[in-house]
Amino acid sequence: MLGANCRVHSLICFAVPELKVLIPRQQIAERVAAMGAEITRDFSGQSVILVGVLKGAAIFLSDLARHVELDSTFDFIGVSSYGVRPSPAQELKSGWDSTGEVQVTKDVDQSMKGKNVILVEDILDTGLTLTFLKKLFAAHQPKAFRIAALLDKPSRRKLAISADYVGFSIPDEFVVGYGLDYAERYRNLPDICIVPRES
Ligand code: IMP
Ligand code: MG
């Protein structure tokens, strides 16, 4: 049974027809606004650089940024993991357990030295990606470094890392929508939906 908010997208759900809404768009909007307000308060009177991790954080960053009432600029970084990429079906079943080696596919356009950097990520899963990025940004010597993750799956963590701003803590489910993909699809769903593992 499709969740009501995903029904409009059922035509593109040919590969995974049974998406279930986990977090509806209204709830996402309220939480993202609250996260923006928190960042605004924490960096009151200062400038920040919002750095989005491509591609999953693109939608989150664009909504979050509109609730950050500070002098702000954007940047983006692209990463991919080394190792044998699982098939989409395997990724769905057991997640993407990379070897831990992450590669930068698109670097930031500017030095972060002395700046307030807020890394904006779609989901904190095993923690391998953000652990790598945290070290990478530390080398830039920013004034402050914070992580804003829309979703957190704490039960999947392999490395001890946490985000400073977390939208929602979720169970170990494979989710899509609001920027998150399954084999590059479903990023444009307005709600965050669960892809059933048995499909
Ligand atoms: P980590 O390095 O294991 O923390 O993985 C983070 C990345 O894995 C995210 O940026 C996503 O691209 C991907 N990922 C993890 N869980 C999910 C999910 O449930 N749906 C879609 N992508 C996911
Ligand atoms: Mg992905």
Side-chain angles (χ1 to χ4, degrees):
M1 175 75 180
L2 281 173
N5 291 327
C6 277
R7 186 161 301 155
V8 68
H9 296 279
S10 60
L11 285 178
I12 64 163
C13 295
F14 55 88
V16 189
E18 301 212 349
L19 297 178
K20 196 178 99 210
V21 174
L22 177 66
I23 311 171
R25 63 198 77 177
Q26 185 56 35
Q27 212 178 321
I28 299 171
E30 284 166 15
R31 186 69 197 115
V32 171
M35 292 172 87
E38 212 181 323
I39 292 169
T40 304
R41 201 184 55 232
D42 291 352
F43 289 91
S44 172
Q46 303 179 61
S47 301
V48 295
I49 304 182
L50 301 173
V51 181
V53 183
L54 296 170
K55 304 167 195 169
I59 293 177
F60 174 39
L61 183 142
S62 65
D63 282 348
L64 180 69
R66 282 175 280 183
H67 293 283
V68 173
E69 295 175 19
L70 300 169
D71 176 44
S72 312
T73 54
F74 293 176
D75 211 324
F76 293 93
I77 191 161
V79 290
S80 73
S81 301
Y82 287 111
V84 183
R85 186 109 210 148
S87 66
Q90 191 57 36
E91 182 179 19
L92 178 59
K93 202 162 153 250
S94 52
W96 165 223
D97 290 340
S98 73
T99 57
E101 294 173 75
V102 182
Q103 185 181 20
V104 173
T105 55
K106 187 240 166 270
D107 207 349
V108 289
D109 297 335
Q110 60 196 296
S111 167
M112 303 283 153
K113 192 174 169 68
K115 307 278 175 60
N116 294 315
V117 177
I118 298 171
L119 190 66
V120 182
E121 174 64 309
D122 54 0
I123 186 165
L124 179 48
D125 185 31
T126 64
L128 297 172
T129 307
L130 282 176
T131 299
F132 169 84
L133 287 173
K134 195 174 174 179
K135 280 189 199 140
L136 188 85
F137 280 87
H140 281 253
Q141 298 181 296
K143 181 179 174 196
F145 177 78
R146 301 280 186 275
I147 295 171
L150 176 69
L151 303 174
D152 186 7
K153 277 194 229 178
S155 64
R156 290 259 310 154
R157 202 76 89 251
K158 284 185 168 176
L159 297 178
I161 185 164
S162 57
D164 302 282
Y165 307 98
V166 176
F168 303 92
S169 193
I170 64 167
D172 180 14
E173 296 282 1
F174 197 86
V175 291
V176 293
Y178 198 72
L180 289 127
D181 73 305
Y182 171 48
E184 292 298 328
R185 288 206 158 82
Y186 310 112
R187 293 192 195 275
N188 59 324
L189 296 178
D191 309 295
I192 293 169
C193 302
I194 294 175
V195 183
R197 289 219 160 88
E198 63 274 16
S199 61

